[in-house]
């Protein structure tokens, strides 16, 4: 039982992440694709914005049927994981403004004709996390 728990908690070691993003301010849409290089295999756990729609997941170029959001299992060592997604990021940028302040700190992810802001903590792209 203990061995099984250790195997389930195994995470992979990543080399690098290549991110490609297309932004359409008029529709507030972000279309993205990321490819992650895997050093040692295992399960990839990642966070992604709640409003994002997962389009497909490829492991070494092969599509994973019915991918589970936030997890890609059994990734081989030396392989690649590609995650494609899209999302609409539209926030009321004026709602949290305060007189005398330059920045609205309540905006986390916004794509619009009035500007684009994608904060690191908004999970606007798949961000690997440690499952442990």
């Amino acid at each position: 039982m203990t061995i099984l728990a250790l195997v389930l908690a195994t995470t992979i070691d990543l080399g690098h992440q290549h991110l490609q993003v297309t932004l359409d301010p008029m529709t507030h849409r972000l279309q993205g694709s990321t490819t992650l290089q895997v050093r040692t295999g295992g399960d990839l756990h990642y966070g992604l914005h709640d409003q994002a729609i997962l389009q497909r997941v490829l492991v070494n170029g092969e599509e994973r049927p019915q991918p589970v959001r936030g997890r890609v299992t059994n990734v081989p060592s030396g392989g690649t994981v590609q995650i494609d997604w899209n999302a609409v990021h539209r926030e009321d940028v004026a709602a949290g403004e305060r007189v005398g302040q330059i920045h609205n700190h309540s905006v986390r992810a916004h794509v619009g004709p009035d500007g684009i802001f994608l904060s690191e903590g908004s999970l606007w792209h798949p961000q690997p996390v440690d499952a442990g």
Side-chain angles (χ1 to χ4, degrees):
M1 190 74 144
T2 304
I3 294 172
L4 178 60
L6 289 174
V7 171
L8 292 175
T10 301
T11 58
I12 64 177
D13 180 26
L14 297 174
H16 67 272
Q17 180 175 13
H18 175 79
L19 189 60
Q20 184 174 349
V21 177
T22 302
L23 303 168
D24 183 354
M26 297 311 290
T27 63
H28 304 278
R29 184 162 301 281
L30 179 151
Q31 180 73 38
S33 179
T34 188
T35 302
L36 300 114
Q37 182 66 46
V38 177
R39 289 185 186 137
T40 58
D43 293 346
L44 169 65
H45 298 269
Y46 65 91
L48 184 60
H49 195 279
D50 292 343
Q51 299 301 313
I53 298 168
L54 189 62
Q55 293 178 302
R56 69 179 181 166
V57 173
L58 304 172
V59 176
N60 289 338
E62 294 184 21
E63 189 165 357
R64 289 282 175 99
Q66 300 177 340
V68 175
R69 184 184 183 90
R71 185 181 63 181
V72 183
T73 59
N74 301 318
V75 179
S77 295
T80 60
V81 175
Q82 178 180 327
I83 302 170
D84 297 336
W85 80 100
N86 69 61
V88 172
H89 293 295
R90 183 178 190 172
E91 293 189 33
D92 184 351
V93 296
E97 289 183 354
R98 294 198 169 84
V99 176
Q101 290 187 359
I102 297 172
H103 302 290
N104 177 344
H105 294 287
S106 67
V107 174
R108 312 232 340 128
H110 178 75
V111 176
D114 53 345
I116 296 170
F117 180 75
L118 301 167
S119 72
E120 181 180 347
S122 69
L123 298 175
W124 64 268
H125 68 90
Q127 295 180 3
V129 297
D130 186 5

